[in-house]
Amino acid sequence: MATTWLPPAEFIETLPRATAYACLYFTDTHGRPLQLRATWQPELWQWPGGNMDPGETPWETAVRECREETGLVFEGRPRLLATHFTSHRAEQWPANHIGFIFDGGELTDAQIAAVVLDPEEHTEYRLHALAEWEREMNPASFRRLVEVDQARRTGATLYLESDDGH
């Protein structure tokens, strides 16, 4: 098989496109996950996080986005709970999307009370037990929540794939 060497910039043009996000998964001291309601899609609940900026690492993205979206300054160490791959859906997003979900640990009552949302991104935050979240979320997003919660409880790192756009 003959191969032709391409300069890096040309070779990169032949590769699949992907964007990346990173977030922090928090619970309160009772193990209830914290999620934020998205302004742009009110039925969508998210963890504090967002898309990576050029030159950022996934960890830097998670910490920055958490601060911007909640006012919380996270100073813990990176512990990856899961990676999430969402396949290309041309009508919704013209690239694959890869996520890094880090463990944010447990928030105290004082930390929760200090949350200040960015009103352009989120309208509210909630802490619920998993059974309550099941009633609030679409099935695919809820499955991801349960799996990430289990990864946190067991100490295992998880790999997820989806094509649901969430």
Side-chain angles (χ1 to χ4, degrees):
M1 171 159 73
T3 58
T4 304
W5 183 87
L6 293 173
E10 288 180 41
F11 175 69
I12 288 171
E13 290 299 317
T14 70
L15 299 176
R17 299 280 183 252
T19 58
Y21 75 91
C23 57
L24 288 167
Y25 177 75
F26 293 104
T27 61
D28 66 4
T29 57
H30 303 288
R32 298 178 304 176
L34 170 79
Q35 294 199 90
L36 315 176
R37 184 187 295 270
T39 57
W40 59 276
Q41 194 174 355
E43 71 279 3
L44 181 61
W45 290 93
Q46 305 173 305
W47 300 308
N51 289 316
M52 288 175 56
D53 286 345
E56 257 183 342
T57 68
W59 177 245
E60 291 167 339
T61 299
V63 171
R64 174 187 54 77
E65 287 281 348
C66 178
R67 184 184 65 253
E68 289 174 3
E69 294 179 353
T70 67
L72 297 173
V73 177
F74 187 75
E75 296 178 349
R77 297 180 54 129
R79 184 168 102 71
L80 185 64
L81 293 176
T83 57
H84 175 224
F85 177 85
T86 305
S87 61
H88 167 71
R89 297 160 322 279
E91 67 283 353
Q92 296 176 18
W93 192 262
N96 295 322
H97 202 45
I98 301 167
F100 300 86
I101 304 158
F102 293 98
D103 189 355
E106 290 183 351
L107 296 173
T108 65
D109 291 343
Q111 288 172 308
I112 294 165
V115 168
V116 177
L117 297 178
D118 175 348
E120 292 185 16
E121 293 200 45
H122 298 99
T123 59
E124 66 178 305
Y125 69 88
R126 290 189 191 167
L127 292 137
H128 286 312
L130 291 177
E132 294 170 277
W133 278 122
E134 187 172 19
R135 292 188 290 274
E136 298 277 336
M137 301 174 73
N138 74 54
S141 294
F142 178 70
R143 273 193 308 278
R144 187 169 52 252
L145 171 65
V146 168
E147 292 184 49
V148 168
D149 190 72
Q150 183 177 5
R152 157 72 119 32
R153 293 175 194 276
T154 64
T157 302
L158 183 64
Y159 172 73
L160 301 165
E161 287 186 7
S162 65
D163 61 4
D164 63 0
H166 299 287

